[in-house]
Amino acid sequence: MQSSVQRSYEDAKQLYAKHGIDVDAVLESLANIKISMHCWQGDDVRGFLNRDQDLTGGISVTGNYPGAARTPEELRADLEKAFSLIPGKHKVNLHAIYADTEEKVELDRLEPKHFEKWVAWAKEQGLGLDFNPTCFSHELSKDGFTLSHPDPKIRRFWIDHCKASRKIGAYFGEQLGQTCVTNVWVPDGFKDVPADRLAPRQRLKSALDEVFAEELNPAHNLDAVESKLFGLGSEAYVVGSHEFYMGYGLQNNKLICLDAGHFHPTETISGKLSSLSLFTDGILLHVSRPMRWDSDHVVTMDDELLDIAKELVQGDLLGKTHIGLDFFDASINRVAAWVIGTRNTIKALMRAMLVPADALKRAELEGDYTTRLALTEEFKMYPFGAVWDYYCEKSGVPVREEWLAEVKAYEREVLSERGE
Ligand SMILES: C[C@H](O)[C@H](O)[C@@H](O)C(=O)CO
Ligand SMILES: [Mn+2]
């Protein structure tokens, strides 16, 4: 006997089939897409090294919802809970400060061995790992500069940290048989208008050259660089601007990371993907939701998320794009935050696959913009929800909002025991 979810799916399939859309094939493609879920939503970007340090680097987490993970074991348990409510097999994105070790180790001395437990866990869970050097929340970044610092000794420390991070990334890739993306983001910038915009960029450029000097097997590690327009305390000038990293990434064959919150408020990353794709072999996304500024709200199914998904699917960019998430909200249950943001990202990709793309492109070529608009609007009401429900059921994860009861139970039984 078919479940009501299956019956609704069969009806939906027929509607889409009339437009030549093979829904079973869509779900097969969807199952192959990995989202890199960022570990730092689970503990408000605190990490386990230097836990006494405040969060710096011009980023901020607001809210005091109880239950943040305090140890690697707690964080892994929370990630497992979240993944049990999300269809598909994905990746976890770690920052260097999440090293799982009893050793008191400085960032520039980190080694693969400090992440062995993460790798063992990822293997057991069938997950991939991505990585990031942590160039913030540290004594040596407190004046706002790292790789572009005017003091060569401080610059050296951060260069060595980034070099160490790439080796850890390569270790992840080699151990897990899945390429690790190691993303370099530095907060460097000035609160007020600089006297010299060029010199910090010259220093950042040569520091990056040193960081990337060693060739690593691209099957194990791919490097990415992430730009930003402004941060808290770097409102006037950020050394690693979009133009800086567009140039650096293209010239040096690095993935360019586009974070949805790192541009002018009306500037979208969806609009940049097609252009960038013509000049690079790979792109990294930090899917986020900026609210008036780089606020890193949990990703919802808003127009920009749908547009990002549309560009990736219609532009055939899924093969060259690494999709990472980047939000941190401490005002709601943190496991729920992961589940909502990750399910939405997958859902948006599925919706983008469930449109009559060829018919729309044909109408456009023929100048029939009426058909283009009419079909686009009608498809906004097509029964993609039935397809999503079936995908969840088939993947063995809760259908619709059923996942929320599981998160609430986890909160009662596990998170609430952790205290404030
Ligand atoms: C913690 C992340 O690395 C960080 O959010 C970075 O990716 C960023 O987006 C900074 O604004
Ligand atoms: Mn980011």
Side-chain angles (χ1 to χ4, degrees):
M1 248 262 289
Q2 278 192 326
S3 68
S4 71
V5 167
Q6 284 166 335
R7 281 197 302 278
S8 303
Y9 176 69
E10 292 305 328
D11 290 345
K13 244 167 85 167
Q14 284 182 21
L15 275 176
Y16 285 111
K18 282 190 192 154
H19 288 270
I21 300 167
D22 179 344
V23 182
D24 288 328
V26 162
L27 293 188
E28 267 173 49
S29 308
L30 200 61
N32 289 325
I33 300 175
K34 287 183 191 293
I35 307 294
S36 186
M37 207 168 81
H38 55 313
C39 73
W40 52 92
Q41 166 60 64
D43 75 334
D44 315 333
V45 209
R46 291 204 66 184
F48 310 116
L49 295 179
N50 316 322
R51 272 181 76 80
D52 51 320
Q53 294 278 337
D54 286 337
L55 176 60
T56 64
I59 52 179
S60 167
V61 184
T62 53
N64 56 1
Y65 204 87
R70 299 160 301 179
T71 63
E73 290 73 25
E74 288 181 353
L75 187 58
R76 286 192 281 267
D78 294 355
L79 285 160
E80 279 179 35
K81 185 76 221 173
F83 280 126
S84 74
L85 307 172
I86 295 165
K89 273 286 167 204
H90 301 284
K91 295 176 99 180
V92 171
N93 197 3
L94 291 177
H95 245 281
I97 46 171
Y98 290 83
D100 185 355
T101 175
E102 295 303 313
E103 229 181 278
K104 179 80 193 117
V105 57
E106 250 313 341
L107 291 175
D108 59 338
R109 296 280 167 260
L110 277 172
E111 291 177 50
K113 68 176 182 197
H114 301 117
F115 290 86
E116 271 169 1
K117 289 190 204 150
W118 279 108
V119 167
W121 173 77
K123 275 185 190 162
E124 175 200 296
Q125 300 289 317
L127 297 163
L129 289 175
D130 290 319
F131 200 57
N132 306 259
T134 308
C135 301
F136 52 84
S137 303
H138 191 278
E139 189 55 26
L140 292 183
S141 69
K142 69 175 192 293
D143 57 6
F145 287 85
T146 62
L147 286 179
S148 71
H149 203 287
D151 179 342
K153 285 202 288 301
I154 297 183
R155 231 164 41 237
R156 167 60 40 209
F157 174 83
W158 292 112
I159 291 170
D160 288 345
H161 172 49
C162 292
K163 285 165 85 169
S165 296
R166 295 180 74 224
K167 297 248 175 71
I168 293 163
Y171 160 73
F172 287 173
E174 182 255 316
Q175 286 290 311
L176 299 172
Q178 289 188 47
T179 313
C180 167
V181 176
T182 299
N183 177 49
V184 175
W185 171 71
V186 296
D188 304 28
F190 283 116
K191 182 182 176 74
D192 220 330
V193 181
D196 185 354
R197 285 190 165 84
L198 183 61
R201 290 188 171 136
Q202 284 168 329
R203 290 194 291 268
L204 178 56
K205 183 170 180 289
S206 58
L208 290 170
D209 289 346
E210 270 200 66
V211 167
F212 298 129
E214 187 180 345
E215 288 287 328
L216 297 176
N217 184 343
H220 297 160
N221 181 75
L222 287 174
D223 303 304
V225 284
E226 180 179 6
S227 68
K228 190 162 179 168
L229 176 70
F230 75 95
L232 295 171
S234 60
E235 289 84 356
Y237 167 83
V238 168
V239 184
S241 61
H242 181 52
E243 293 71 17
F244 176 90
Y245 281 124
M246 271 290 270
Y248 193 89
L250 293 180
Q251 201 169 60
N252 295 283
N253 199 24
K254 302 297 166 204
L255 303 182
I256 289 162
C257 173
L258 299 177
D259 182 311
H262 287 192
F263 295 87
H264 285 280
T266 58
E267 196 180 353
T268 58
I269 64 167
S270 56
K272 299 181 187 302
L273 288 168
S274 49
S275 303
L276 187 54
S277 74
L278 294 175
F279 303 101
T280 60
D281 294 335
I283 298 171
L284 172 63
L285 296 185
H286 273 189
V287 182
S288 190
R289 181 164 55 106
M291 194 169 292
R292 309 192 194 286
W293 66 292
D294 180 32
S295 59
D296 293 292
H297 277 63
V298 176
V299 168
T300 56
M301 210 192 298
D302 59 11
D303 285 350
E304 173 58 358
L305 182 65
L306 291 169
D307 276 346
I308 292 170
K310 175 183 163 216
E311 290 302 309
L312 296 179
V313 172
Q314 308 313 339
D316 201 13
L317 304 184
L318 284 166
K320 58 156 66 174
T321 307
H322 305 264
I323 307 172
L325 305 177
D326 190 7
F327 49 77
F328 24 96
D329 188 342
S331 73
I332 60 173
N333 180 302
R334 293 169 185 80
V335 175
W338 271 322
V339 176
I340 294 166
T342 312
R343 281 175 69 119
N344 276 337
T345 306
I346 304 167
K347 247 183 255 175
L349 291 164
M350 184 202 74
R351 280 186 67 174
M353 293 173 180
L354 292 174
V355 293
D358 291 341
L360 289 169
K361 286 181 185 170
R362 206 167 38 245
E364 184 165 286
L365 272 180
E366 289 165 358
D368 183 359
Y369 304 142
T370 311
T371 297
R372 183 183 65 182
L373 185 60
L375 277 183
T376 302
E377 292 307 298
E378 287 303 329
F379 267 77
K380 287 182 181 168
M381 293 295 282
Y382 262 57
F384 51 81
V387 180
W388 173 251
D389 292 346
Y390 175 76
Y391 183 56
C392 289
E393 187 173 270
K394 180 169 126 73
S395 309
V397 303
V399 172
R400 291 187 218 113
E401 67 279 8
E402 277 167 15
W403 62 266
L404 185 56
E406 294 207 27
V407 170
K408 293 280 184 193
Y410 188 71
E411 179 171 311
R412 270 193 313 276
E413 288 152 24
V414 180
L415 301 178
S416 65
E417 298 297 310
R418 294 181 190 165
E420 296 289 313

